[in-house]
Amino acid sequence: MDLRRLRLFLAVVDEGGFTRAAEAEFVSQPSVSQAVRELEDELGTPLFHRVGRGVVLTAAGEALVGPARQALRDVEAARVAVAAVAGLERGRLDLCALPTLASDPVAPLTGAFRTAHPGVTVRLADAEGPAEVAALVAAGEAELGITVEHAANERLRVVALRRQDMLVVLPPGAPPRGGSRPLPVDELARYPLVATPRGTSTRALLDEAFETAGVSPNIAVVTAQREAVMPLVLAGAGATLLPGPLAEQAARLGAVVVPMRPEVSRAVVAVQRDGPSSPAAAAFLEIAGLSPPPPPAARRRATPESRR
């Protein structure tokens, strides 16, 4: 297929219409219409329903979106591979991450990557939960996903990054606990809690801790706006559970931060599609102290002798 036609097809999808796609791609509207029409002729089926001044994808169009994005990404990977010979002087790395991992480990890793490769642009998208991270990577919209777990998906492979401790954050003025003495989970249950909705990674950890202890939490505030959790705690709305780096920020602002008993932590991992890593993704993983994992097929071919 003609890559230009695929690019203009995706521009119509992303911009919601032929005119806006033409403006975004700096071409004429008839050029976009012709490219899509030629693509439809080549595939033998309509890709869009024309609805007034807008467009809606047909079932065939929806089926083409993912492969089209990956085709363009593969071409970009080829261009970046050439640039890698000159030391990654240009290119782009698409990342997605859970919001609670953006400050750590994503921010320091991205800073180190940009310092090493200032000519490479990094685009960072957020995702509501581990399932969305996996979906964005599987669809080719991100090359690497930073998450805490991933659903079984044969198209993805996982690289362990680190474990991240979760700490209890109490409002300013909470009764002192003798330094950093851990707070038992059944005692935490007596506090009003600020939590994210069910389905988010931190809420899953919180619910699991209470379920294991056989106690019911007192959820006082539920917010999908993760950036509001810390201000809510600092304002006295309740306690919460935050990753260590965010908890330390809260402590500097006056919150009381203690470990929970039993301790709560989570494994932070990177997920990527099966196949060769782009030079930018390989460099990012190297900065994280890792090497890109072998593809599943290679792992299956490994014999007990070869693993010794």
Side-chain angles (χ1 to χ4, degrees):
M1 292 182 189
D2 185 280
L3 292 173
R4 176 178 176 275
R5 293 172 187 166
L6 290 179
R7 189 181 72 251
L8 293 178
F9 161 74
L10 290 175
V12 176
V13 173
D14 294 337
E15 300 297 330
F18 287 82
T19 300
R20 289 192 292 273
E23 294 172 351
E25 293 294 320
F26 302 100
V27 298
S28 67
Q29 191 271 339
S31 296
V32 177
S33 298
Q34 181 180 353
V36 172
R37 186 164 53 250
E38 290 171 347
L39 189 57
E40 291 175 327
D41 290 342
E42 181 179 358
L43 294 172
T45 185
L47 299 174
F48 294 102
H49 295 299
R50 276 69 171 179
V51 181
R53 295 186 177 180
V55 293
V56 177
L57 281 167
T58 64
E62 290 178 354
L64 180 60
V65 170
R69 291 193 194 280
Q70 189 58 42
L72 294 181
R73 190 175 302 283
D74 288 343
V75 171
E76 178 63 17
R79 293 194 181 103
V80 174
V82 174
V85 177
L88 280 169
E89 294 181 354
R90 57 186 172 88
R92 188 181 79 206
L93 176 61
D94 291 332
L95 302 175
C96 65
L98 298 180
T100 52
L101 298 178
S103 63
D104 183 81
V106 175
L109 288 177
T110 302
F113 175 84
R114 285 279 304 139
T115 298
H117 307 290
V120 180
T121 301
V122 177
R123 295 200 314 187
L124 176 61
D126 64 358
E128 287 300 313
E132 187 175 348
V133 171
L136 289 172
V137 174
E141 295 185 34
E143 185 172 6
L144 287 177
I146 311 300
T147 181
V148 295
E149 60 186 39
H150 91 294
N153 188 323
E154 63 181 10
R155 297 174 61 191
L156 300 182
R157 46 188 172 160
V158 182
V159 185
L161 292 177
R162 65 186 65 170
R163 293 203 67 83
Q164 186 180 69
D165 293 330
M166 305 293 291
L167 300 174
V168 176
V169 181
L170 304 172
R177 297 193 47 76
S180 58
R181 184 166 59 87
L183 181 70
V185 63
D186 56 346
E187 187 174 335
L188 178 61
R190 295 198 289 270
Y191 283 85
L193 297 175
V194 177
T196 51
R198 292 186 184 276
T200 57
S201 58
T202 50
R203 178 63 182 271
L205 287 171
L206 194 65
D207 289 345
E208 182 181 355
F210 284 114
E211 183 177 352
T212 301
V215 294
S216 298
N218 174 17
I219 305 296
V221 179
V222 177
T223 176
Q225 298 179 348
R226 291 169 178 81
E227 65 276 9
V229 172
M230 189 188 302
L232 284 166
V233 174
L234 294 171
T240 196
L241 194 66
L242 288 178
L246 290 179
E248 292 170 3
Q249 292 180 27
R252 289 193 290 270
L253 295 172
V256 176
V257 176
V258 294
M260 190 164 77
R261 193 175 69 226
E263 294 182 353
V264 176
S265 66
R266 59 185 183 178
V268 180
V269 301
V271 295
Q272 61 182 146
R273 287 169 60 95
D274 188 21
S277 298
S278 72
F284 187 91
L285 291 174
E286 184 178 356
I287 285 172
L290 304 163
S291 297
R299 293 197 295 268
R300 288 194 296 269
R301 288 195 300 269
T303 63
E305 290 76 14
S306 68
R307 288 193 293 267
R308 285 201 290 267

